[in-house]
Amino acid sequence: MRSMWSWARICGSAALALGMVAAGPAAAPVAANEPGAGVSCTGTNTIGFSPGLSLRARRTRITGTGSYRCTSADRRLTAAGSEITGGGVNGCFASDATTVEKITWSTGERSVVVYPMGDVRQVAGQAVVLVVGKVVSGRFRGRTVASPGVQLTLDVPGCATDRGVQRISGPSALLIP
């Protein structure tokens, strides 16, 4: 029974994250005349782990990139790219990490977001992610950021090796109200 409940929670988390990513810009509308209005972006993230994710959680270094299409009251803010770094104790079934996302907006402005922790469900290298962080510098400084997504691996058997799953990729979002 406990195993069935765990799978139900995981599937529910995956459905919620996918729904939030699919809803994208509609999930966080912005008022055109509101000064300092937020932004809503959808796109993809590719995340690397060194060493790779394995059955046993271990200290890993995280690196990655993000690419987004955005909607905002600021019509110049149409896209963003990001670099992701961090680390923590991660495995194919658990994740406890802090990450930093350095975002470059289509306006040329930058933001640095720190995600101290979040709800990252690792299921055999498939990550259902809902991280919440804060913009610590640059555009949107002081604002909260939600970043739901689902990053997948094509190398599920890699979890059972010493090398582990070294890369996951999939849809993601940046929501800054």
Side-chain angles (χ1 to χ4, degrees):
M1 185 66 140
R2 175 177 229 161
S3 176
M4 198 161 96
W5 172 248
S6 294
W7 278 104
R9 285 183 56 193
I10 290 166
C11 290
S13 295
L16 175 64
L18 280 172
M20 289 178 76
V21 170
V30 293
N33 298 325
E34 178 185 331
V39 64
S40 180
C41 306
T42 57
T44 59
N45 281 343
T46 299
I47 308 295
F49 297 91
S50 179
L53 302 174
S54 65
L55 294 175
R56 182 180 51 82
R58 57 189 171 183
R59 185 153 297 284
T60 59
R61 197 182 86 209
I62 299 169
T63 58
T65 59
S67 177
Y68 306 96
R69 286 280 173 224
C70 304
T71 302
S72 173
D74 180 347
R75 295 190 189 278
R76 300 173 306 133
L77 206 157
T78 59
S82 71
E83 293 180 18
I84 301 162
T85 58
V89 177
N90 299 286
C92 284
F93 296 99
S95 181
D96 182 12
T98 296
T99 55
V100 174
E101 187 168 18
K102 294 180 180 176
I103 303 166
T104 302
W105 304 101
S106 55
T107 59
E109 297 166 290
R110 298 177 186 264
S111 297
V112 176
V113 180
V114 175
Y115 302 101
M117 58 193 297
D119 187 3
V120 180
R121 310 273 175 155
Q122 297 282 12
V123 182
Q126 316 305 322
V128 178
V129 179
L130 177 54
V131 291
V132 176
K134 185 152 295 259
V135 180
V136 296
S137 69
R139 184 165 186 166
F140 304 113
R141 183 180 179 166
R143 308 269 285 277
T144 298
V145 179
S147 185
V150 179
Q151 281 83 50
L152 307 174
T153 180
L154 299 177
D155 183 25
V156 175
C159 286
T161 68
D162 283 338
R163 180 175 180 259
V165 173
Q166 296 187 338
R167 183 175 165 218
I168 59 177
S169 185
S172 187
L174 287 174
L175 307 171
I176 304 175

